[in-house]
Amino acid sequence: MSEMYIAIFIGGFLGLFGLIIFLTYLYEKKRTEKLNKIAQFAGFSFTKKKDPKEIPFRNEFKDFNRGHSRTVKNFMQGRKNQISWTIFDYKYTVGSGKHSHTYNYTIFHTKLEKPIAAFILGKENFINKIAAKIGYNDIDFDSHPEFSNYYLLKGTDENKIRQTFNTNILAYFEQNKSNFQIETNQNNMIILKPFKRIKPAEFNITIDEITKIVKLFDKPKY
């Protein structure tokens, strides 16, 4: 009897595992179909899967060199709101076995007209606040305490970053509390929500919101 119960348990576990894999497959299939339709409607090119090594700006950002099992899916390129975009779902894994963790999020990339200071801007969390008190790199602005309290801003050239973040930019981010992470290198800019993929239904709203951010730092050609 005990062997029968064990067999039933194992069979049920394998069945549940198979169901989860199947449902995940269906979800990913529907996501790709929806994003493909969005890309077509916007006039973007669309590729279901791409080799991460083919991303031309991958060497400009550390995320593309982290972990292993890197994948690029739902890759689209096109022009919207007078800005040229490269957008895709990016996934990578750190660690192995029980200690592994997979990160999956949507990246929006654009090339600015001119190079600007290299920086990373994101929402400050509790750990960041503690680290800042012991000397961790966080660039604050006395003139805009609300900005400094909400965001973590870091980079190697503090003077250039301070010149980049003028009054208009600081005021915008104070008035529009953002959960995006923004990273720049030369004239490359990527914007994402840390470890979150954008839902197809949120795509157009998200790209419009990101457009406002890009235009704070850049003057696109019309």
Side-chain angles (χ1 to χ4, degrees):
M1 289 294 293
S2 60
E3 291 181 356
M4 182 181 72
Y5 287 134
I6 292 172
I8 292 174
F9 175 79
I10 293 174
F13 176 79
L14 292 175
L16 179 61
F17 184 70
L19 178 62
I20 291 172
I21 292 176
F22 179 67
L23 292 176
T24 300
Y25 165 78
L26 286 181
Y27 177 83
E28 293 299 324
K29 184 173 183 291
K30 288 182 179 179
R31 176 178 174 81
T32 295
E33 290 172 352
K34 290 177 181 178
L35 289 174
N36 190 7
K37 288 181 180 179
I38 289 170
Q40 289 180 10
F41 185 78
F44 285 20
S45 63
F46 185 88
T47 305
K48 289 183 181 179
K49 193 172 183 180
K50 201 171 186 68
D51 187 340
K53 294 179 180 179
E54 295 179 17
I55 304 301
F57 48 87
R58 68 186 181 90
N59 292 325
E60 306 298 329
F61 300 98
K62 292 180 180 178
D63 268 11
F64 297 110
N65 295 311
R66 289 193 176 108
H68 57 87
S69 305
R70 306 178 188 117
T71 62
V72 171
K73 293 183 178 180
N74 303 318
F75 183 91
M76 60 183 84
Q77 287 183 304
R79 192 167 176 82
K80 183 177 174 63
N81 300 336
Q82 296 83 46
I83 295 173
S84 295
W85 300 99
T86 298
I87 305 166
F88 54 91
D89 291 334
Y90 183 66
K91 181 170 71 172
Y92 67 92
T93 300
V94 294
S96 60
K98 294 180 180 179
H99 303 289
S100 68
H101 190 85
T102 298
Y103 299 97
N104 200 357
Y105 48 97
T106 305
I107 290 177
F108 292 75
H109 168 271
T110 188
K111 231 172 175 46
L112 307 177
E113 292 295 329
K114 295 180 180 179
I116 62 172
F119 67 84
I120 299 176
L121 176 71
K123 184 179 179 181
E124 192 169 41
N125 57 39
F126 179 71
I127 295 175
N128 299 145
K129 290 181 184 294
I130 294 176
K133 292 183 181 298
I134 59 174
Y136 185 77
N137 180 21
D138 180 15
I139 301 171
D140 291 331
F141 293 82
D142 293 337
S143 60
H144 292 77
E146 196 173 343
F147 172 92
S148 298
N149 186 56
Y150 187 84
Y151 297 99
L152 171 68
L153 174 62
K154 59 182 180 178
T156 55
D157 195 329
E158 183 173 337
N159 289 332
K160 284 187 178 180
I161 293 172
R162 288 187 178 278
Q163 292 171 11
T164 298
F165 279 77
N166 57 42
T167 301
N168 290 337
I169 291 175
L170 293 171
Y172 175 86
F173 282 108
E174 279 192 335
Q175 295 166 13
N176 301 272
K177 298 297 189 297
S178 174
N179 292 324
F180 289 112
Q181 177 176 302
I182 305 162
E183 186 171 353
T184 60
N185 192 334
Q186 296 296 322
N187 59 343
N188 290 287
M189 175 179 281
I190 59 173
I191 302 178
L192 56 96
K193 286 191 174 181
F195 315 126
K196 180 180 178 181
R197 293 195 300 178
I198 301 301
K199 296 178 181 178
E202 299 172 345
F203 182 86
N204 288 320
I205 294 174
T206 301
I207 200 169
D208 286 344
E209 187 177 351
I210 290 176
T211 294
K212 294 176 184 177
I213 293 173
V214 172
K215 289 184 177 180
L216 287 171
F217 296 95
D218 198 31
K219 298 289 185 183
K221 291 181 179 178
Y222 289 84

